[in-house]
Amino acid sequence: MQPSERLLQYVTFSTASNEAESSCPSSAGQLEFARFLCSQLQKLGLLDARVDRWGYVYASLPASEGCEKKRPLGFIAHMDTSPDAPGKGVQPMVWPNYDGKLLRLKNGTVLDPALLPQLSQMRGKTLITSSGDTLLGADDKAGIAEIMTMLERVITQNLPHPKLAVAFTPDEEIGRGADRFDLALFGAPVAYTVDGETPGVVEYETFNAASAVVTFCGVSVHPGAAKGVMKNAAALAAQFAQLLPQDQTPEKTEGRQGFFHLHHMEGTVEKATLEYLLRDHSDEGFCQRKQLLEKLVNQANALWGEGTVSVQITDTYYNMARVLQNHMDLVENALEVFAAQGLSGETQPVRGGTDGSKLSFLGLPCPNLPTGGHAFHGRCEYIAAEDMELCCQTLLGLVERAAR
């Protein structure tokens, strides 16, 4: 089976994670999908495949004869899809020999090469999109499809290989994918997450990440008698949002530039909250962002009255380059495989995080490999079948190198 064929099947499972739920997995659809994947792994011959109590899928393929002493190698992908766009009832559409022009999907969704520059590079390929009513789910079901296809080919073609460990995780999109990961059960000392985009790119740097909740306490009275008494928390929150650097937001930054991302707000006269994501690749910049937020809160309290504003900052994950700089052979191996595939091969920083961000700090170094998908987390998500095959060949190339 081709990886694209698997993807068309996998995206029909509704697996959006839900940050409002404390359970693991955070949605029932993820557990259903986990059980399905487990049965597929068992049918491939990975008889130890299992789903643990948290919805994580683990399986391993014993080393082939002569490779028993080679270093085991792992591959990881996540089962959940982003809650940022509808993910239920995905109806994938296939566009053979895409002409490189504007695509009109349902619900008014338009894939425009002028807004999605990499779309023009898909000319002549078999493009896969959603119907436009939902996201597609290539993030990260494409990664799962490519890992499953790689395993099938290793087995059916009797390819030499060390022990191969695979894991499919829940709730990566809400930052919990590595929280209950069982390193001992996984059984490999190094691994790759398969959760990136463009073929030929390996990623070993991520953001340092934190979340911040800024809370405003107001005083609510009748507006007719408000002079000198009312303290409008919602209005103060709006003023505060303007104090942060307006050129340091996601839509105005790129590469290794960090940002403050206001992603949720709500408020009344009596109480208001602003929820931010803080991101920076450098440790120094990360600290400075947190310090700036705290400084602005102190200044706001000096102006509006002590206790008016408070902030709670929680670190989420750290730049995995801190760990991977000591395991650059994993990156170099990927670059060599890309070269053998005729790809230019390059490294890029992730403007986000992966399960590998946390797993690397837990003792499992995990660079990130591409899936071929683009425009993740929205209705404009797309992937080419040919790029999925390229990414699958990358995995096979890494297995071949590990068996030498």
Side-chain angles (χ1 to χ4, degrees), residues 358-387:
K358 289 185 177 179
L359 290 174
S360 292
F361 283 92
L362 291 173
L364 181 65
C366 281
N368 191 40
L369 294 173
T371 63
H374 298 282
F376 293 157
H377 292 201
R379 301 171 194 263
C380 293
E381 187 181 5
Y382 65 91
I383 196 169
E386 293 82 355
D387 288 350

Short mmCIF file of all heavy atoms in Angstrom, two decimals, residues 358-387:
data_model
loop_
_atom_site.label_atom_id
_atom_site.label_comp_id
_atom_site.label_asym_id
_atom_site.label_seq_id
_atom_site.Cartn_x
_atom_site.Cartn_y
_atom_site.Cartn_z
N LYS A 358 10.31 17.73 23.99
CA LYS A 358 10.32 17.21 25.36
C LYS A 358 11.08 15.90 25.46
O LYS A 358 11.83 15.66 26.40
CB LYS A 358 8.89 17.04 25.88
CG LYS A 358 8.16 18.34 26.17
CD LYS A 358 6.80 18.08 26.79
CE LYS A 358 6.09 19.38 27.14
NZ LYS A 358 4.75 19.15 27.73
N LEU A 359 10.90 15.03 24.46
CA LEU A 359 11.53 13.72 24.53
C LEU A 359 13.04 13.82 24.53
O LEU A 359 13.73 13.04 25.20
CB LEU A 359 11.06 12.86 23.34
CG LEU A 359 9.60 12.41 23.40
CD1 LEU A 359 9.21 11.70 22.12
CD2 LEU A 359 9.34 11.52 24.61
N SER A 360 13.58 14.80 23.80
CA SER A 360 15.03 14.97 23.77
C SER A 360 15.56 15.27 25.17
O SER A 360 16.61 14.75 25.58
CB SER A 360 15.42 16.09 22.80
OG SER A 360 15.16 15.71 21.46
N PHE A 361 14.83 16.09 25.93
CA PHE A 361 15.26 16.42 27.29
C PHE A 361 15.00 15.28 28.27
O PHE A 361 15.61 15.23 29.34
CB PHE A 361 14.56 17.70 27.77
CG PHE A 361 15.15 18.95 27.17
CD1 PHE A 361 14.63 19.48 26.02
CD2 PHE A 361 16.24 19.57 27.76
CE1 PHE A 361 15.18 20.63 25.45
CE2 PHE A 361 16.79 20.71 27.21
CZ PHE A 361 16.26 21.25 26.04
N LEU A 362 14.13 14.35 27.89
CA LEU A 362 13.89 13.18 28.74
C LEU A 362 14.89 12.07 28.48
O LEU A 362 14.87 11.03 29.15
CB LEU A 362 12.47 12.65 28.49
CG LEU A 362 11.33 13.53 28.99
CD1 LEU A 362 9.98 12.97 28.54
CD2 LEU A 362 11.36 13.68 30.51
N GLY A 363 15.78 12.28 27.49
CA GLY A 363 16.81 11.30 27.21
C GLY A 363 16.66 10.56 25.91
O GLY A 363 17.39 9.59 25.66
N LEU A 364 15.71 10.96 25.06
CA LEU A 364 15.51 10.34 23.76
C LEU A 364 15.72 11.39 22.67
O LEU A 364 14.78 12.10 22.29
CB LEU A 364 14.10 9.75 23.66
CG LEU A 364 13.76 9.02 22.35
CD1 LEU A 364 14.63 7.78 22.19
CD2 LEU A 364 12.28 8.65 22.31
N PRO A 365 16.95 11.53 22.16
CA PRO A 365 17.22 12.55 21.12
C PRO A 365 16.34 12.31 19.90
O PRO A 365 16.29 11.20 19.38
CB PRO A 365 18.70 12.34 20.79
CG PRO A 365 19.26 11.63 21.98
CD PRO A 365 18.16 10.78 22.52
N CYS A 366 15.65 13.36 19.45
CA CYS A 366 14.65 13.21 18.39
C CYS A 366 14.66 14.37 17.40
O CYS A 366 13.88 15.32 17.53
CB CYS A 366 13.24 13.13 18.99
SG CYS A 366 12.78 11.57 19.70
N PRO A 367 15.51 14.35 16.37
CA PRO A 367 15.33 15.33 15.29
C PRO A 367 13.98 15.08 14.59
O PRO A 367 13.37 14.01 14.75
CB PRO A 367 16.50 15.04 14.34
CG PRO A 367 17.44 14.20 15.13
CD PRO A 367 16.63 13.44 16.13
N ASN A 368 13.56 16.05 13.80
CA ASN A 368 12.26 15.97 13.16
C ASN A 368 12.42 15.82 11.64
O ASN A 368 13.16 16.58 11.02
CB ASN A 368 11.44 17.23 13.47
CG ASN A 368 9.99 17.10 13.06
OD1 ASN A 368 9.38 16.04 13.24
ND2 ASN A 368 9.43 18.16 12.51
N LEU A 369 11.72 14.86 11.07
CA LEU A 369 11.78 14.59 9.63
C LEU A 369 10.51 15.08 8.95
O LEU A 369 9.46 15.23 9.58
CB LEU A 369 11.94 13.09 9.39
CG LEU A 369 13.25 12.46 9.87
CD1 LEU A 369 13.18 10.95 9.71
CD2 LEU A 369 14.44 13.03 9.10
N PRO A 370 10.57 15.30 7.62
CA PRO A 370 9.40 15.82 6.90
C PRO A 370 8.35 14.76 6.61
O PRO A 370 8.64 13.57 6.55
CB PRO A 370 10.02 16.35 5.60
CG PRO A 370 11.22 15.47 5.38
CD PRO A 370 11.76 15.20 6.76
N THR A 371 7.12 15.24 6.41
CA THR A 371 6.02 14.39 5.95
C THR A 371 5.60 14.73 4.52
O THR A 371 4.95 13.94 3.86
CB THR A 371 4.79 14.55 6.85
OG1 THR A 371 4.31 15.91 6.75
CG2 THR A 371 5.11 14.23 8.30
N GLY A 372 5.94 15.97 4.08
CA GLY A 372 5.51 16.44 2.77
C GLY A 372 4.31 17.36 2.82
O GLY A 372 3.92 17.94 1.80
N GLY A 373 3.70 17.52 4.00
CA GLY A 373 2.49 18.33 4.11
C GLY A 373 2.78 19.81 4.26
O GLY A 373 3.89 20.21 4.62
N HIS A 374 1.76 20.62 4.01
CA HIS A 374 1.90 22.08 4.11
C HIS A 374 0.59 22.70 4.61
O HIS A 374 -0.48 22.10 4.53
CB HIS A 374 2.23 22.69 2.74
CG HIS A 374 3.53 22.20 2.17
ND1 HIS A 374 4.76 22.65 2.59
CD2 HIS A 374 3.79 21.26 1.22
CE1 HIS A 374 5.71 22.04 1.93
NE2 HIS A 374 5.15 21.19 1.10
N ALA A 375 0.70 23.93 5.10
CA ALA A 375 -0.45 24.72 5.56
C ALA A 375 -1.23 23.99 6.64
O ALA A 375 -2.47 23.96 6.64
CB ALA A 375 -1.37 25.09 4.39
N PHE A 376 -0.49 23.43 7.60
CA PHE A 376 -1.11 22.68 8.69
C PHE A 376 -2.03 23.56 9.53
O PHE A 376 -1.90 24.77 9.56
CB PHE A 376 -0.02 22.10 9.60
CG PHE A 376 0.82 21.03 8.95
CD1 PHE A 376 2.09 20.76 9.44
CD2 PHE A 376 0.37 20.29 7.88
CE1 PHE A 376 2.89 19.76 8.87
CE2 PHE A 376 1.14 19.30 7.29
CZ PHE A 376 2.40 19.04 7.79
N HIS A 377 -2.95 22.91 10.22
CA HIS A 377 -3.85 23.51 11.22
C HIS A 377 -5.00 24.30 10.61
O HIS A 377 -5.69 25.02 11.33
CB HIS A 377 -3.09 24.41 12.20
CG HIS A 377 -2.16 23.69 13.10
ND1 HIS A 377 -1.71 24.23 14.30
CD2 HIS A 377 -1.57 22.47 13.01
CE1 HIS A 377 -0.89 23.37 14.88
NE2 HIS A 377 -0.79 22.29 14.11
N GLY A 378 -5.22 24.18 9.31
CA GLY A 378 -6.31 24.94 8.71
C GLY A 378 -6.94 24.22 7.53
O GLY A 378 -6.50 23.15 7.10
N ARG A 379 -7.98 24.83 6.99
CA ARG A 379 -8.72 24.24 5.88
C ARG A 379 -7.91 24.18 4.59
O ARG A 379 -8.28 23.46 3.66
CB ARG A 379 -10.00 25.03 5.64
CG ARG A 379 -10.94 25.10 6.84
CD ARG A 379 -12.07 26.09 6.60
NE ARG A 379 -12.79 26.42 7.82
CZ ARG A 379 -13.93 25.83 8.21
NH1 ARG A 379 -14.46 24.89 7.46
NH2 ARG A 379 -14.51 26.19 9.33
N CYS A 380 -6.83 24.95 4.52
CA CYS A 380 -6.01 25.00 3.31
C CYS A 380 -4.90 23.95 3.31
O CYS A 380 -4.03 23.95 2.42
CB CYS A 380 -5.40 26.39 3.13
SG CYS A 380 -6.59 27.69 2.79
N GLU A 381 -4.90 23.06 4.28
CA GLU A 381 -3.85 22.04 4.38
C GLU A 381 -3.83 21.17 3.13
O GLU A 381 -4.87 20.80 2.58
CB GLU A 381 -4.14 21.19 5.62
CG GLU A 381 -3.05 20.19 5.96
CD GLU A 381 -3.41 19.36 7.19
OE1 GLU A 381 -4.55 19.50 7.69
OE2 GLU A 381 -2.57 18.57 7.62
N TYR A 382 -2.62 20.81 2.68
CA TYR A 382 -2.50 19.97 1.48
C TYR A 382 -1.22 19.16 1.54
O TYR A 382 -0.29 19.47 2.28
CB TYR A 382 -2.54 20.82 0.21
CG TYR A 382 -1.37 21.77 0.06
CD1 TYR A 382 -0.21 21.39 -0.61
CD2 TYR A 382 -1.42 23.06 0.61
CE1 TYR A 382 0.87 22.26 -0.74
CE2 TYR A 382 -0.35 23.94 0.48
CZ TYR A 382 0.78 23.53 -0.20
OH TYR A 382 1.86 24.38 -0.31
N ILE A 383 -1.16 18.12 0.71
CA ILE A 383 0.02 17.28 0.61
C ILE A 383 -0.01 16.59 -0.75
O ILE A 383 -1.08 16.36 -1.31
CB ILE A 383 0.04 16.23 1.76
CG1 ILE A 383 1.42 15.61 1.91
CG2 ILE A 383 -1.03 15.17 1.56
CD1 ILE A 383 1.58 14.79 3.18
N ALA A 384 1.15 16.29 -1.29
CA ALA A 384 1.26 15.59 -2.57
C ALA A 384 1.63 14.14 -2.32
O ALA A 384 2.50 13.84 -1.50
CB ALA A 384 2.29 16.25 -3.47
N ALA A 385 0.99 13.22 -3.05
CA ALA A 385 1.27 11.79 -2.90
C ALA A 385 2.73 11.49 -3.20
O ALA A 385 3.36 10.67 -2.53
CB ALA A 385 0.36 10.99 -3.83
N GLU A 386 3.28 12.19 -4.19
CA GLU A 386 4.68 11.96 -4.56
C GLU A 386 5.63 12.37 -3.44
O GLU A 386 6.67 11.73 -3.22
CB GLU A 386 5.01 12.71 -5.85
CG GLU A 386 4.30 12.20 -7.09
CD GLU A 386 2.87 12.73 -7.25
OE1 GLU A 386 2.38 13.44 -6.34
OE2 GLU A 386 2.24 12.45 -8.28
N ASP A 387 5.29 13.45 -2.73
CA ASP A 387 6.14 13.90 -1.63
C ASP A 387 6.05 12.95 -0.44
O ASP A 387 7.03 12.74 0.29
CB ASP A 387 5.76 15.32 -1.20
CG ASP A 387 6.19 16.35 -2.22
OD1 ASP A 387 6.94 16.00 -3.16
OD2 ASP A 387 5.76 17.52 -2.10
#
